[in-house]
Amino acid sequence: MEQEKTQGIGFFEKYLTVWVLLCMAAGILIGKFLPGIPDVLEKFQYAGQNLPIAILIWIMIFPMMMKIDFQSIKNVRKNPLGILISSGSSWLIKPFLMFGLATLFFKVIFQPLIPAELAQDFVTGAVLLGVAPCTAMVFVWSHLTKGDPAHTLVQVSVNDLLILVLFVPLVQFLLGVNGVTIPWDTLFFSIVLFVVVPLVGGALTRFLMIKKKGIEYFNERFLPKFDGVTTLGLLLTLIIIFSFQGDIILEQPLFVLLIAVPLILQNVISATFTYLICKWTKQPHNIAAPASLIAASDFFELSVAVAITLLGPNSPVVLACTVGVLTEVPVMLLLVKFINKTKGWFPQNELQN
């Protein structure tokens, strides 16, 4: 298992939680002792966007978009039930589960510890996380469980298309239930800026590079050039975010731990539910593994981007989304370990593509 982890996950990704903690500390220290830096960064605004953060988020998202092969969607017919289970869990179960858990913990169980207005913001951040299924790290989790790569690629491609259609109405509906109103045009602008633009750019880059150099060159030489770029963009973004968020963390460090509770529960419950559904429907393990991990993980890059667009980098909503970055990697690695240990629960004749 340890050898598989080393081969399947890069150095930066493997220790992402450590880097996030270091970036959190660096950002807080900058905000406290060098407040002029976040003050200057906050002035770089255009159309309501913080330009340094917007650029870093594009750097995060663009490389992962180049990996998506939309031609793979034609392979849905090879295992439609596996795709239906994964998509259903990602879009019909997970967003509502996250909303329910966040509301229960932030507004009921943790009520004595979290002011009502702040609890509302934390629920909003959790919803933004829950409505965005992961489209990047899933490839790593699938590899670590020996998941079927074709199925994983198809599901990621399907999710990227579904985000364009379902993200805005689901966010609007769940936040409306929570008493938060966000203009539709602001949400659509966020999706265009942080999904459509990098998605189209990534697809065009992929098409042109494959046409010019071939698929082997693209996969083995071009894509590896961007290894670590996504993580570097994420870490720099976190430093900026935590330079804005430092005051609330220093005043109430307990908030980070409280936010983590429903986020972790959502990861575990979503993965377990999907895994058991796959077992009940007799899916092979190499389909059940990526399906359950896709259902559990979050597209935290998009969530952070949308939260910043809607409410600014110093909003507690952004803090809630950022805690998702902190918790997801260790939780997903534990889920990977569990899934590998329970391979015997599933039929041995795995689907081959």
Side-chain angles (χ1 to χ4, degrees), residues 85-95 130-133 155 159 170 274 291 294-297:
I85 292 171
S86 182
S87 298
S89 297
S90 295
W91 293 101
L92 299 178
I93 305 297
K94 177 184 167 185
V131 181
Q155 184 60 69
N159 272 341
L170 273 175
T274 308
I294 287 169
S297 53

Side-chain angles (χ1 to χ4, degrees), residues 16-297:
L16 184 58
T17 299
V18 176
W19 311 137
V20 170
L21 287 170
L22 291 174
C23 289
M24 180 188 297
I28 291 171
L29 290 173
I30 289 171
K32 184 172 179 61
F33 296 107
L34 299 170
I37 293 178
D39 288 344
V40 170
L41 291 174
E42 199 168 11
K43 292 178 181 178
F44 289 94
Q45 301 278 339
Y46 182 78
Q49 296 296 314
N50 182 278
L51 292 180
I53 293 179
I55 291 169
L56 288 172
I57 288 172
W58 279 325
I59 290 173
M60 273 192 276
I61 295 176
F62 181 76
M64 65 181 76
M65 292 303 187
M66 287 193 296
K67 297 178 181 179
I68 307 303
D69 179 10
F70 289 108
Q71 293 185 8
S72 67
I73 293 178
K74 63 188 178 184
N75 294 322
V76 166
R77 65 182 184 274
K78 292 185 177 180
N79 191 281
L81 184 56
I83 298 295
L84 284 173
I85 292 171
S86 182
S87 298
S89 297
S90 295
W91 293 101
L92 299 178
I93 305 297
K94 177 184 167 185
F96 301 93
L97 173 65
M98 180 69 98
F99 172 75
L101 289 171
T103 302
L104 174 64
F105 280 93
F106 297 145
K107 293 191 171 185
V108 180
I109 297 175
F110 296 153
Q111 184 183 16
L113 302 172
I114 303 177
E117 186 176 347
L118 208 53
Q120 187 93 322
D121 288 335
F122 291 163
V123 172
T124 300
V127 166
L128 292 176
L129 274 172
V131 181
C134 185
T135 61
M137 291 291 284
V138 164
F139 291 111
V140 175
W141 312 138
S142 178
H143 175 78
L144 294 179
T145 56
K146 294 185 172 60
D148 180 78
H151 170 86
T152 306
L153 182 59
V154 171
Q155 184 60 69
V156 168
S157 302
V158 168
N159 272 341
D160 275 321
L161 293 178
L162 290 176
I163 283 174
L164 301 177
V165 182
L166 297 178
F167 183 85
V168 171
L170 273 175
V171 167
Q172 190 77 313
F173 172 74
L174 290 173
L175 294 187
V177 173
N178 193 38
V180 177
T181 302
I182 294 176
W184 283 82
D185 58 347
T186 306
L187 278 172
F188 277 118
F189 179 68
S190 299
I191 288 296
V192 170
L193 194 63
F194 296 114
V195 178
V196 176
V197 171
L199 191 63
V200 171
L204 283 174
T205 303
R206 180 185 179 89
F207 172 78
L208 293 174
M209 287 304 301
I210 291 176
K211 184 178 180 181
K212 184 177 181 180
K213 297 284 190 176
I215 186 68
E216 184 176 344
Y217 174 87
F218 179 79
N219 286 330
E220 296 182 9
R221 299 185 63 183
F222 185 74
L223 278 181
K225 293 178 181 179
F226 296 88
D227 288 349
V229 170
T230 293
T231 305
L232 181 62
L234 172 64
L235 297 180
L236 291 174
T237 303
L238 292 178
I239 291 175
I240 297 176
I241 289 172
F242 282 114
S243 72
F244 291 116
Q245 297 282 345
D247 288 342
I248 187 173
I249 295 173
L250 289 174
E251 292 170 7
Q252 297 287 350
L254 180 63
F255 286 162
V256 174
L257 295 176
L258 297 181
I259 292 169
V261 173
L263 303 189
I264 292 172
L265 282 174
Q266 180 274 132
N267 292 141
V268 173
I269 294 172
S270 295
T272 304
F273 173 80
T274 308
Y275 197 58
L276 293 176
I277 289 293
C278 287
K279 181 179 184 300
W280 179 61
T281 56
K282 302 187 185 317
Q283 296 296 300
H285 186 263
N286 64 346
I287 295 296
S292 57
L293 294 170
I294 287 169
S297 53

